[in-house]
Amino acid sequence: VQLQASGGGLVQTGGSLRLSCAASGRTFSTYGMGWFRQAPGKEREVVAAISRTGGITYYADSVKGRFTISRDNAKNTMYLQMNSLKPEDTAVYTCAGTTSLITSRAASDYAYWGQGTQVTVSS
């Protein structure tokens, strides 16, 4: 599967953005999906993950209650709705796919990666 993330941009503190991850092919529903981010000088971290059907989700503690991950298998697309953005959310956000049967938070479980999209939150 090929993945392409979009929707990043510059937003003020407290603002919102919605990221999209478009997948190629007709087997999108067979992949667990995740959003990861990497800020300058920091390690990549998981933001959120979602199961194949969308019935199971995982969120990093730092984004719980502010971010919502979802997917539309009919449209081969995953989303990340980001609300109440903070400067510490500034990073390059990347979507990834896994054939793992669990909703994984480990980057090592993800074999398919899209290009990143920059999210910058100004204070």
Side-chain angles (χ1 to χ4, degrees), residues 3-6 20-22 35 92-95 113-117:
L3 305 172
Q4 183 167 353
S6 62
S20 297
C21 177
W35 285 101
V92 174
Y93 285 70
T94 307
C95 58
W113 294 81
Q115 91 293 352
T117 185

Side-chain angles (χ1 to χ4, degrees), residues 1-117:
V1 64
Q2 292 184 323
L3 305 172
Q4 183 167 353
S6 62
L10 173 64
V11 64
Q12 292 185 334
T13 295
S16 298
L17 283 174
R18 188 175 82 154
L19 305 184
S20 297
C21 177
S24 64
R26 293 185 286 180
T27 60
F28 178 66
S29 62
T30 66
Y31 294 90
M33 299 294 295
W35 285 101
F36 293 79
R37 68 185 181 186
Q38 187 166 19
K42 294 187 177 181
E43 293 186 355
R44 181 171 56 192
E45 62 177 355
V46 63
V47 176
I50 190 166
S51 64
R52 298 176 179 190
T53 62
I56 299 172
T57 57
Y58 163 82
Y59 295 95
D61 288 343
S62 58
V63 306
K64 279 181 182 177
R66 300 188 298 122
F67 291 10
T68 302
I69 189 171
S70 62
R71 65 189 296 165
D72 186 337
N73 286 343
K75 295 183 178 179
N76 284 4
T77 305
M78 174 179 66
Y79 305 97
L80 185 68
Q81 178 66 43
M82 305 186 295
N83 299 328
S84 302
L85 282 161
K86 304 175 181 180
E88 50 263 45
D89 293 319
T90 295
V92 174
Y93 285 70
T94 307
C95 58
T98 178
T99 56
S100 173
L101 294 178
I102 63 171
T103 305
S104 178
R105 67 192 71 174
S108 58
D109 284 337
Y110 290 79
Y112 306 94
W113 294 81
Q115 91 293 352
T117 185

